[in-house]
Amino acid sequence: MLNKKVEEAINAQINAEMWSAYLYLSMSAYFHANGNPGFANWYEVQFKEEQDHAMIMFNYVVSRGGVVKLQAIDAVPTEWKSPLDVVEATLAHEEKVTALIHNLYKVASDENDFATQSMLKWFIDEQVEEEDNARTIIDNLKMIDGNGYGLYMLDKELSTRTYKQAAPLANGAE
Ligand code: FEO
């Protein structure tokens, strides 16, 4: 049986993951409108990955005999100043999500909920990758420094990113 405090905290995180998905879909829309289809693709993959994150937690709550309670998803920003502004907002957002995941782990740890701590280990590792991905694109954009050809080449590279279902879902482990 899932501890109530932990159940509430995971439900809040499901909402945060859905908000993240919505944020990245909005960023994808920005890049489509800005004429950067490769970036738009990269953010669409990001959108799908965030939905996976919510589903991993959804399935976990169900498997522990808990109850998923979906809450309203707040509106997301729709405008940014530049591609660099978007990716910097992405890194700042992922740093916040990392703090949320760490806090969730702390709640589970304080409640001696070892299964939830084990489930969250995948997320802790995933956050390292999420932050690193955003930092790499920021570094590239700073190197390009507004050069049109550089931006075109980076857009081409980001167009090759493909969605792969998150391992805990793909393995049917949850
Ligand atoms: Fe669900 Fe981007 O962390």
Side-chain angles (χ1 to χ4, degrees), residues 17 20 24 46 50 53 94 97 123 126-127 130:
E17 299 293 343
S20 301
Y24 293 141
Q46 199 70 10
E50 297 300 346
H53 298 172
E94 287 301 337
V97 174
F123 283 89
E126 175 73 5
Q127 282 311 120
E130 293 273 65

Side-chain angles (χ1 to χ4, degrees), residues 36-151:
N36 312 112
F39 277 86
N41 168 69
W42 195 91
Y43 274 94
E44 187 181 329
V45 172
Q46 199 70 10
F47 157 68
K48 290 174 183 165
E49 285 196 355
E50 297 300 346
Q51 288 181 299
D52 279 3
H53 298 172
M55 274 318 294
I56 293 166
M57 292 195 182
F58 181 107
N59 290 346
Y60 175 76
V61 171
V62 170
S63 72
R64 293 287 310 279
V67 180
V68 173
K69 290 188 182 153
L70 298 178
Q71 294 142 30
I73 301 168
D74 290 340
V76 289
T78 55
E79 283 174 26
W80 291 270
K81 290 194 289 268
S82 63
L84 180 60
D85 187 30
V86 179
V87 190
E88 283 180 337
T90 301
L91 177 58
H93 177 63
E94 287 301 337
E95 286 170 347
K96 271 188 211 152
V97 174
T98 299
L100 290 176
I101 295 286
H102 290 178
N103 191 53
L104 186 49
Y105 190 93
K106 176 89 171 51
V107 172
S109 162
D110 289 347
E111 297 297 320
N112 288 324
D113 184 339
F114 302 107
T116 297
Q117 289 172 67
S118 175
M119 180 274 292
L120 287 173
K121 282 194 176 127
W122 183 87
F123 283 89
I124 291 168
D125 295 343
E126 175 73 5
Q127 282 311 120
V128 174
E129 196 186 312
E130 293 273 65
E131 290 185 23
D132 186 48
N133 286 344
R135 253 184 237 112
T136 301
I137 301 176
I138 288 170
D139 288 346
N140 286 334
L141 281 168
K142 284 187 175 164
M143 211 178 342
I144 286 164
D145 196 20
N147 176 280
Y149 184 68
L151 191 60

Side-chain angles (χ1 to χ4, degrees), residues 10-20 54 70-74:
I10 299 177
N11 269 311
Q13 190 61 34
I14 290 173
N15 185 264
E17 299 293 343
M18 292 303 290
W19 193 84
S20 301
L70 298 178
Q71 294 142 30
I73 301 168
D74 290 340

